[in-house]
Amino acid sequence: MKSVKILNAAGGSPKVAVAEHPEPAPPKDSEVLVRMLCVGLDGTDREIVTEKYGQPPEGEADLILGHEALGVVERCGDRAGLQPGDLVAVVVRRPCREPRCVNCRNGRSDYCQTGAFTERGIKGAHGFLTEFVKDEERYFVKLPPRARSFGVLTEPQSIVEKVWDEIQRIQQRLIWQPRTALVLGSGPLGMLAAITCRCLGLDVRVWSLSPADGPDARWLEAIGAHYREADSSAGAFADYVGTLPDKPDVIWECTGYSPLAFEAMEALAPNGVLALLGVSPGERRHELDTNRLNMELVLKNKCVVGSVNAARSHFETAVHRLLQMEQRFPGALPRMISERFTLEQVPSIDFERITLKAVVDLIPPDRWDEWIRREDEEIAYSFSV
Ligand SMILES: [Zn+2]
Protein backbone atom coordinates (compact mmCIF):
# COMPACT_ATOMS: atom_id res chain seq x y z
CA MET A 1 0.00 0.00 0.00
CA LYS A 2 1.09 3.56 -0.73
CA SER A 3 2.55 5.55 2.18
CA VAL A 4 4.37 8.84 2.75
CA LYS A 5 7.72 7.95 4.22
CA ILE A 6 10.73 9.76 5.53
CA LEU A 7 13.30 7.50 3.85
CA ASN A 8 16.43 6.88 5.85
CA ALA A 9 14.95 8.86 8.78
CA ALA A 10 17.65 7.64 11.15
CA GLY A 11 20.51 8.07 8.71
CA GLY A 12 22.42 10.95 7.19
CA SER A 13 20.28 12.07 4.25
CA PRO A 14 16.54 11.70 4.94
CA LYS A 15 14.13 12.24 2.05
CA VAL A 16 10.32 12.51 1.85
CA ALA A 17 8.83 10.12 -0.69
CA VAL A 18 5.70 8.17 -1.55
CA ALA A 19 6.75 4.55 -1.12
CA GLU A 20 5.20 1.10 -0.84
CA HIS A 21 4.67 -0.44 2.60
CA PRO A 22 3.35 -3.96 3.35
CA GLU A 23 -0.37 -4.05 4.19
CA PRO A 24 -1.12 -5.01 7.83
CA ALA A 25 -2.16 -8.62 8.53
CA PRO A 26 -5.91 -9.13 9.27
CA PRO A 27 -6.89 -7.85 12.76
CA LYS A 28 -7.06 -10.40 15.59
CA ASP A 29 -8.78 -10.31 19.02
CA SER A 30 -9.12 -6.66 20.06
CA GLU A 31 -7.27 -5.29 17.04
CA VAL A 32 -8.96 -3.01 14.50
CA LEU A 33 -7.98 -2.31 10.90
CA VAL A 34 -8.81 1.24 9.79
CA ARG A 35 -8.90 2.72 6.28
CA MET A 36 -7.42 6.21 6.41
CA LEU A 37 -9.60 8.99 4.98
CA CYS A 38 -7.37 11.99 5.67
CA VAL A 39 -4.45 13.16 7.81
CA GLY A 40 -3.77 16.68 9.08
CA LEU A 41 -0.33 18.26 8.93
CA ASP A 42 1.10 20.43 11.70
CA GLY A 43 4.31 22.04 12.92
CA THR A 44 5.66 18.71 14.15
CA ASP A 45 5.32 17.25 10.64
CA ARG A 46 7.03 20.34 9.25
CA GLU A 47 9.92 19.88 11.67
CA ILE A 48 10.17 16.16 10.89
CA VAL A 49 10.34 17.01 7.19
CA THR A 50 12.64 20.05 7.43
CA GLU A 51 14.71 19.40 10.57
CA LYS A 52 14.70 15.62 10.04
CA TYR A 53 13.97 14.72 13.63
CA GLY A 54 11.57 11.82 13.02
CA GLN A 55 12.61 8.52 14.54
CA PRO A 56 11.80 5.26 12.68
CA PRO A 57 10.60 2.11 14.45
CA GLU A 58 13.40 0.06 16.02
CA GLY A 59 15.31 -1.92 13.40
CA GLU A 60 13.84 0.03 10.45
CA ALA A 61 15.34 2.81 8.34
CA ASP A 62 12.15 4.64 7.26
CA LEU A 63 9.29 6.36 9.11
CA ILE A 64 5.73 6.72 7.82
CA LEU A 65 4.71 10.33 8.53
CA GLY A 66 1.41 11.66 9.95
CA HIS A 67 -0.24 11.73 13.37
CA GLU A 68 -3.55 13.65 12.98
CA ALA A 69 -5.79 10.96 11.55
CA LEU A 70 -9.38 10.48 10.50
CA GLY A 71 -10.33 7.02 9.27
CA VAL A 72 -13.09 4.50 8.93
CA VAL A 73 -13.11 1.00 10.43
CA GLU A 74 -12.49 -1.63 7.75
CA ARG A 75 -12.35 -4.85 9.81
CA CYS A 76 -12.34 -5.82 13.49
CA GLY A 77 -10.90 -8.70 15.48
CA ASP A 78 -13.33 -11.05 17.33
CA ARG A 79 -13.14 -9.14 20.60
CA ALA A 80 -13.35 -5.58 19.24
CA GLY A 81 -16.55 -3.58 19.80
CA LEU A 82 -16.22 -1.11 16.94
CA GLN A 83 -17.98 -1.91 13.67
CA PRO A 84 -16.95 -1.62 10.03
CA GLY A 85 -17.97 1.84 8.81
CA ASP A 86 -17.38 3.59 12.16
CA LEU A 87 -15.63 6.95 11.79
CA VAL A 88 -12.58 7.12 14.09
CA ALA A 89 -9.68 9.32 15.18
CA VAL A 90 -6.47 7.72 16.49
CA VAL A 91 -4.59 8.35 19.75
CA VAL A 92 -0.93 9.13 18.97
CA ARG A 93 1.25 8.09 21.91
CA ARG A 94 1.96 4.50 22.99
CA PRO A 95 3.25 3.65 26.49
CA CYS A 96 6.84 2.79 27.38
CA ARG A 97 7.57 -0.72 28.66
CA GLU A 98 9.16 0.25 31.99
CA PRO A 99 7.35 -1.38 34.95
CA ARG A 100 8.30 1.63 37.12
CA CYS A 101 6.49 4.12 34.84
CA VAL A 102 3.23 4.36 36.79
CA ASN A 103 1.62 6.75 34.33
CA CYS A 104 2.23 4.52 31.30
CA ARG A 105 1.03 1.55 33.32
CA ASN A 106 -2.21 3.42 34.04
CA GLY A 107 -3.17 4.62 30.57
CA ARG A 108 -1.51 8.04 30.94
CA SER A 109 1.47 7.75 28.61
CA ASP A 110 1.07 11.52 28.05
CA TYR A 111 2.78 11.75 31.47
CA CYS A 112 5.43 9.09 30.66
CA GLN A 113 8.30 9.58 33.09
CA THR A 114 10.98 7.54 31.32
CA GLY A 115 10.73 9.23 27.92
CA ALA A 116 10.78 5.77 26.33
CA PHE A 117 7.23 6.15 24.94
CA THR A 118 6.65 5.93 21.19
CA GLU A 119 4.47 8.23 19.08
CA ARG A 120 2.92 7.18 15.80
CA GLY A 121 4.38 9.17 12.92
CA ILE A 122 6.88 10.94 15.18
CA LYS A 123 8.99 8.72 17.43
CA GLY A 124 9.67 5.01 17.02
CA ALA A 125 6.35 4.04 15.39
CA HIS A 126 4.87 4.44 11.90
CA GLY A 127 2.30 7.18 11.33
CA PHE A 128 -0.99 7.43 9.50
CA LEU A 129 -0.14 8.76 6.01
CA THR A 130 -0.83 5.34 4.59
CA GLU A 131 -3.86 3.46 3.28
CA PHE A 132 -4.52 1.18 6.28
CA VAL A 133 -3.60 1.35 9.96
CA LYS A 134 -3.96 -1.51 12.43
CA ASP A 135 -3.84 -1.11 16.20
CA GLU A 136 -5.52 -2.11 19.44
CA GLU A 137 -9.12 -0.91 19.69
CA ARG A 138 -8.37 1.25 22.75
CA TYR A 139 -6.37 3.64 20.56
CA PHE A 140 -9.33 4.45 18.29
CA VAL A 141 -11.94 7.04 19.30
CA LYS A 142 -15.33 6.93 17.60
CA LEU A 143 -16.86 10.03 16.02
CA PRO A 144 -20.42 10.51 14.77
CA PRO A 145 -20.67 10.62 10.95
CA ARG A 146 -21.73 14.29 11.10
CA ALA A 147 -18.20 15.11 12.33
CA ARG A 148 -16.71 13.96 9.01
CA SER A 149 -15.81 17.42 7.69
CA PHE A 150 -13.85 18.47 10.80
CA GLY A 151 -13.06 15.21 12.64
CA VAL A 152 -9.44 15.41 11.50
CA LEU A 153 -9.09 18.21 14.09
CA THR A 154 -9.71 15.76 16.96
CA GLU A 155 -5.98 15.24 17.66
CA PRO A 156 -5.01 18.94 17.84
CA GLN A 157 -8.17 19.65 19.87
CA SER A 158 -7.16 16.86 22.30
CA ILE A 159 -4.05 18.95 23.11
CA VAL A 160 -6.31 21.91 24.01
CA GLU A 161 -8.61 19.67 26.08
CA LYS A 162 -5.72 18.30 28.11
CA VAL A 163 -4.65 21.86 28.96
CA TRP A 164 -8.17 22.89 29.95
CA ASP A 165 -8.49 19.72 32.06
CA GLU A 166 -5.22 20.59 33.82
CA ILE A 167 -6.26 24.22 34.37
CA GLN A 168 -9.52 23.10 35.96
CA ARG A 169 -7.71 20.69 38.29
CA ILE A 170 -5.12 23.31 39.27
CA GLN A 171 -7.77 25.93 39.95
CA GLN A 172 -9.59 23.74 42.43
CA ARG A 173 -7.12 25.39 44.82
CA LEU A 174 -9.43 28.44 45.00
CA ILE A 175 -12.83 29.84 44.05
CA TRP A 176 -12.19 30.75 40.45
CA GLN A 177 -14.50 32.44 38.00
CA PRO A 178 -12.39 33.20 34.93
CA ARG A 179 -13.65 35.86 32.54
CA THR A 180 -10.77 36.53 30.18
CA ALA A 181 -8.33 34.47 28.10
CA LEU A 182 -5.36 35.60 26.06
CA VAL A 183 -4.01 33.37 23.30
CA LEU A 184 -0.48 34.00 22.02
CA GLY A 185 -0.12 32.78 18.42
CA SER A 186 -2.75 32.23 15.73
CA GLY A 187 -1.66 28.91 14.24
CA PRO A 188 -4.15 26.00 14.29
CA LEU A 189 -3.51 25.32 18.00
CA GLY A 190 -4.02 28.99 18.91
CA MET A 191 -7.20 29.07 16.82
CA LEU A 192 -8.54 25.95 18.55
CA ALA A 193 -7.60 27.35 21.99
CA ALA A 194 -9.44 30.58 21.11
CA ILE A 195 -12.64 28.91 19.87
CA THR A 196 -12.59 26.57 22.89
CA CYS A 197 -12.43 29.58 25.23
CA ARG A 198 -15.29 31.18 23.30
CA CYS A 199 -17.34 28.01 23.85
CA LEU A 200 -16.45 28.25 27.55
CA GLY A 201 -17.94 31.75 27.61
CA LEU A 202 -14.68 33.67 28.04
CA ASP A 203 -13.73 37.02 26.58
CA VAL A 204 -10.93 36.01 24.20
CA ARG A 205 -8.01 38.08 22.92
CA VAL A 206 -5.40 36.85 20.46
CA TRP A 207 -1.96 38.40 19.98
CA SER A 208 -0.02 37.12 16.98
CA LEU A 209 2.41 38.23 14.27
CA SER A 210 -0.03 37.49 11.43
CA PRO A 211 -1.46 40.58 9.68
CA ALA A 212 -4.74 41.92 11.09
CA ASP A 213 -6.43 41.44 7.69
CA GLY A 214 -5.07 37.91 7.22
CA PRO A 215 -7.19 34.73 7.08
CA ASP A 216 -6.39 33.60 10.65
CA ALA A 217 -7.22 37.05 12.10
CA ARG A 218 -10.48 37.18 10.14
CA TRP A 219 -11.43 33.66 11.28
CA LEU A 220 -10.74 34.63 14.89
CA GLU A 221 -12.81 37.82 14.62
CA ALA A 222 -15.66 35.77 13.11
CA ILE A 223 -15.79 33.54 16.21
CA GLY A 224 -15.89 36.63 18.42
CA ALA A 225 -12.25 36.81 19.53
CA HIS A 226 -10.47 40.19 19.59
CA TYR A 227 -7.40 39.99 17.37
CA ARG A 228 -4.34 42.20 17.72
CA GLU A 229 -1.45 42.08 15.28
CA ALA A 230 1.73 41.73 17.31
CA ASP A 231 4.66 44.05 17.12
CA SER A 232 7.95 42.26 17.71
CA SER A 233 9.72 45.31 19.16
CA ALA A 234 10.86 45.25 22.80
CA GLY A 235 8.12 46.17 25.25
CA ALA A 236 5.34 45.82 22.64
CA PHE A 237 3.70 42.92 24.45
CA ALA A 238 3.71 44.70 27.82
CA ASP A 239 2.26 47.80 26.12
CA TYR A 240 -0.51 45.68 24.56
CA VAL A 241 -1.36 44.05 27.89
CA GLY A 242 -1.49 47.55 29.41
CA THR A 243 -4.32 48.43 27.01
CA LEU A 244 -6.50 45.47 28.10
CA PRO A 245 -9.39 46.28 30.45
CA ASP A 246 -8.30 43.38 32.72
CA LYS A 247 -5.27 41.17 32.97
CA PRO A 248 -6.07 37.70 31.51
CA ASP A 249 -7.16 34.92 33.87
CA VAL A 250 -5.73 32.33 31.46
CA ILE A 251 -2.92 32.69 28.94
CA TRP A 252 -2.25 30.08 26.25
CA GLU A 253 1.31 30.41 24.93
CA CYS A 254 1.15 28.74 21.50
CA THR A 255 4.02 30.50 19.69
CA GLY A 256 7.05 28.69 21.11
CA TYR A 257 8.87 32.05 21.21
CA SER A 258 10.32 31.49 24.67
CA PRO A 259 10.89 35.13 25.81
CA LEU A 260 7.13 35.65 25.41
CA ALA A 261 6.49 32.77 27.84
CA PHE A 262 8.29 34.75 30.55
CA GLU A 263 6.65 38.07 29.65
CA ALA A 264 3.31 36.26 29.90
CA MET A 265 4.03 35.39 33.55
CA GLU A 266 3.93 39.09 34.32
CA ALA A 267 0.89 39.74 32.12
CA LEU A 268 -1.22 37.12 33.93
CA ALA A 269 -3.95 38.17 36.39
CA PRO A 270 -3.59 37.27 40.10
CA ASN A 271 -4.49 33.57 40.71
CA GLY A 272 -4.26 32.98 36.95
CA VAL A 273 -2.78 30.11 34.96
CA LEU A 274 -0.28 30.36 32.12
CA ALA A 275 -0.23 27.26 29.91
CA LEU A 276 2.84 26.67 27.76
CA LEU A 277 2.12 24.64 24.61
CA GLY A 278 4.77 25.90 22.20
CA VAL A 279 8.12 24.20 21.73
CA SER A 280 11.35 26.08 21.10
CA PRO A 281 14.17 23.90 19.76
CA GLY A 282 17.74 25.18 19.64
CA GLU A 283 19.19 27.76 21.99
CA ARG A 284 18.11 31.29 22.89
CA ARG A 285 19.45 33.55 25.62
CA HIS A 286 17.39 36.34 27.11
CA GLU A 287 17.97 38.62 30.07
CA LEU A 288 15.18 38.73 32.63
CA ASP A 289 14.35 40.58 35.83
CA THR A 290 14.09 37.34 37.81
CA ASN A 291 13.30 39.06 41.10
CA ARG A 292 10.27 40.69 39.57
CA LEU A 293 9.02 37.45 37.99
CA ASN A 294 9.52 35.56 41.21
CA MET A 295 7.59 38.22 43.14
CA GLU A 296 4.77 38.14 40.57
CA LEU A 297 4.38 34.37 40.85
CA VAL A 298 4.61 34.27 44.65
CA LEU A 299 2.62 37.32 45.70
CA LYS A 300 -0.14 36.76 43.14
CA ASN A 301 -0.49 32.95 43.41
CA LYS A 302 0.23 32.54 39.72
CA CYS A 303 0.69 29.13 38.14
CA VAL A 304 2.64 28.11 35.04
CA VAL A 305 1.97 24.70 33.51
CA GLY A 306 3.71 23.02 30.60
CA SER A 307 1.63 20.49 28.67
CA VAL A 308 2.27 18.01 25.87
CA ASN A 309 0.27 15.27 24.17
CA ALA A 310 -3.10 14.04 25.46
CA ALA A 311 -4.83 10.98 26.90
CA ARG A 312 -7.67 9.04 25.28
CA SER A 313 -10.19 10.84 27.50
CA HIS A 314 -9.08 14.16 25.99
CA PHE A 315 -9.70 12.81 22.48
CA GLU A 316 -13.22 11.88 23.62
CA THR A 317 -13.82 15.34 25.10
CA ALA A 318 -12.35 16.83 21.90
CA VAL A 319 -15.01 15.09 19.80
CA HIS A 320 -17.73 16.55 22.02
CA ARG A 321 -16.19 20.03 21.94
CA LEU A 322 -15.79 20.02 18.14
CA LEU A 323 -19.49 19.17 17.82
CA GLN A 324 -20.32 22.00 20.24
CA MET A 325 -18.15 24.42 18.21
CA GLU A 326 -19.84 23.41 14.96
CA GLN A 327 -23.24 24.06 16.53
CA ARG A 328 -22.21 27.43 17.98
CA PHE A 329 -20.12 28.64 15.01
CA PRO A 330 -21.44 26.70 12.00
CA GLY A 331 -18.83 26.20 9.28
CA ALA A 332 -15.93 27.63 11.31
CA LEU A 333 -14.13 24.29 11.75
CA PRO A 334 -14.29 23.17 8.08
CA ARG A 335 -13.08 26.68 7.15
CA MET A 336 -9.92 26.10 9.24
CA ILE A 337 -8.88 23.52 6.65
CA SER A 338 -7.39 25.84 4.03
CA GLU A 339 -5.53 23.38 1.80
CA ARG A 340 -6.12 19.76 0.75
CA PHE A 341 -3.43 17.64 -0.87
CA THR A 342 -3.22 14.13 -2.28
CA LEU A 343 -0.71 11.58 -0.98
CA GLU A 344 1.39 12.04 -4.14
CA GLN A 345 1.67 15.80 -3.52
CA VAL A 346 3.14 15.50 -0.01
CA PRO A 347 6.86 15.37 -0.98
CA SER A 348 6.50 18.73 -2.78
CA ILE A 349 4.45 20.57 -0.11
CA ASP A 350 5.99 23.89 0.93
CA PHE A 351 5.04 24.02 4.62
CA GLU A 352 5.83 27.75 4.77
CA ARG A 353 3.02 28.47 2.30
CA ILE A 354 0.21 26.68 4.16
CA THR A 355 -2.47 29.32 4.88
CA LEU A 356 -4.11 27.84 8.01
CA LYS A 357 -4.34 24.07 8.19
CA ALA A 358 -3.42 21.53 5.51
CA VAL A 359 -4.94 18.08 5.20
CA VAL A 360 -3.84 15.15 3.04
CA ASP A 361 -6.67 13.05 1.58
CA LEU A 362 -6.07 9.33 1.25
CA ILE A 363 -9.53 9.15 -0.31
CA PRO A 364 -11.23 12.16 -1.99
CA PRO A 365 -13.83 13.56 0.49
CA ASP A 366 -16.69 13.21 -2.03
CA ARG A 367 -16.15 9.42 -1.88
CA TRP A 368 -15.94 9.04 1.93
CA ASP A 369 -19.61 8.13 2.23
CA GLU A 370 -18.93 4.91 0.32
CA TRP A 371 -17.22 3.69 3.51
CA ILE A 372 -18.76 5.64 6.43
CA ARG A 373 -21.60 3.65 7.96
CA ARG A 374 -25.02 5.27 7.63
CA GLU A 375 -26.91 5.35 10.87
CA ASP A 376 -29.30 7.47 12.84
CA GLU A 377 -26.54 9.72 14.04
CA GLU A 378 -28.22 11.15 17.14
CA ILE A 379 -29.32 7.79 18.52
CA ALA A 380 -26.41 5.59 17.49
CA TYR A 381 -23.69 7.89 18.73
CA SER A 382 -22.90 6.86 22.27
CA PHE A 383 -20.22 8.55 24.28
CA SER A 384 -18.31 7.58 27.37
CA VAL A 385 -15.48 9.21 29.31
ZN1 LIG B 1 6.39 5.62 30.44
Side-chain angles (χ1 to χ4, degrees):
M1 59 180 182
K2 273 197 242 168
S3 312
V4 174
K5 286 184 172 182
I6 310 290
L7 300 177
N8 201 17
S13 53
K15 182 175 168 254
V16 186
V18 177
E20 279 297 317
H21 192 80
E23 232 175 82
K28 289 185 297 190
D29 303 329
S30 55
E31 288 177 337
V32 173
L33 181 71
V34 167
R35 181 189 293 271
M36 285 292 123
L37 296 174
C38 71
V39 173
L41 299 175
D42 73 356
T44 302
D45 299 306
R46 184 187 63 212
E47 280 170 36
I48 291 173
V49 168
T50 58
E51 310 291 325
K52 327 286 187 206
Y53 88 49
Q55 199 181 307
E58 216 177 313
E60 294 186 41
D62 309 333
L63 172 74
I64 298 179
L65 192 67
H67 62 276
E68 298 181 359
L70 184 69
V72 63
V73 173
E74 178 81 4
R75 274 178 80 177
C76 294
D78 302 340
R79 291 196 288 116
L82 286 166
Q83 291 183 47
D86 282 345
L87 190 66
V88 289
V90 198
V91 176
V92 179
R93 194 176 278 193
R94 302 291 175 268
C96 73
R97 297 201 177 108
E98 295 282 334
R100 68 190 163 95
C101 188
V102 290
N103 292 303
C104 279
R105 301 287 71 76
N106 287 281
R108 290 307 300 267
S109 61
D110 56 318
Y111 286 119
C112 176
Q113 271 175 264
T114 65
F117 59 83
T118 58
E119 283 176 337
R120 296 206 60 164
I122 302 170
K123 180 178 178 282
H126 285 308
F128 307 133
L129 269 170
T130 184
E131 291 173 65
F132 291 99
V133 165
K134 188 178 75 169
D135 214 324
E136 290 291 324
E137 184 180 36
R138 65 180 178 277
Y139 298 123
F140 296 104
V141 177
K142 189 177 166 183
L143 288 82
R146 69 181 184 280
R148 57 168 81 68
S149 64
F150 51 85
V152 70
L153 299 171
T154 306
E155 194 278 339
Q157 181 60 25
S158 76
I159 306 293
V160 174
E161 295 301 340
K162 175 175 171 179
V163 171
W164 184 244
D165 180 15
E166 290 182 301
I167 290 174
Q168 283 177 291
R169 288 166 195 271
I170 291 164
Q171 295 304 75
Q172 285 177 14
R173 63 190 175 142
L174 76 156
I175 299 162
W176 193 55
Q177 294 180 332
R179 290 184 300 113
T180 55
L182 172 61
V183 179
L184 306 178
S186 60
L189 206 53
M191 293 167 81
L192 288 172
I195 193 172
T196 300
C197 287
R198 291 290 296 130
C199 285
L200 292 165
L202 300 177
D203 176 69
V204 180
R205 311 216 166 224
V206 182
W207 156 272
S208 175
L209 285 171
S210 297
D213 59 353
D216 39 355
R218 280 187 276 122
W219 187 92
L220 286 159
E221 293 280 352
I223 57 128
H226 305 281
Y227 185 83
R228 175 66 79 85
E229 184 177 336
D231 174 344
S232 53
S233 63
F237 179 65
D239 290 346
Y240 165 65
V241 172
T243 67
L244 299 179
D246 296 296
K247 284 191 160 188
D249 297 308
V250 187
I251 301 181
W252 303 70
E253 204 305 294
C254 303
T255 69
Y257 178 61
S258 55
L260 200 51
F262 290 89
E263 284 191 63
M265 292 176 195
E266 193 158 347
L268 195 62
N271 303 330
V273 183
L274 163 62
L276 304 180
L277 290 78
V279 289
S280 34
E283 198 175 306
R284 183 188 299 276
R285 292 180 183 278
H286 188 76
E287 202 164 290
L288 291 167
D289 183 343
T290 51
N291 273 1
R292 194 157 137 175
L293 279 183
N294 188 50
M295 290 274 275
E296 277 287 325
L297 294 182
V298 173
L299 297 182
K300 295 177 184 169
N301 295 297
K302 296 185 183 183
C303 181
V304 182
V305 61
S307 184
V308 69
N309 197 250
R312 184 193 159 88
S313 64
H314 302 124
F315 277 73
E316 292 171 339
T317 314
V319 173
H320 251 337
R321 187 89 64 192
L322 292 173
L323 292 168
Q324 185 193 13
M325 291 170 184
E326 184 57 17
Q327 201 168 26
R328 176 107 191 257
F329 306 104
L333 293 175
R335 274 202 305 279
M336 261 186 81
I337 299 163
S338 53
E339 276 101 352
R340 302 197 86 101
F341 297 102
T342 63
L343 199 69
E344 287 73 16
Q345 289 174 312
V346 178
S348 56
I349 292 176
D350 179 354
F351 279 82
E352 301 305 323
R353 297 190 63 174
I354 293 171
T355 317
L356 299 173
K357 180 87 187 164
V359 161
V360 181
D361 289 313
L362 282 299
I363 293 174
D366 59 1
R367 290 188 53 207
W368 289 1
D369 283 348
E370 292 173 31
W371 286 278
I372 298 171
R373 190 156 61 95
R374 287 167 214 274
E375 58 183 356
D376 184 324
E377 295 185 346
E378 296 301 330
I379 295 167
Y381 177 51
S382 63
F383 177 81
S384 62
V385 175

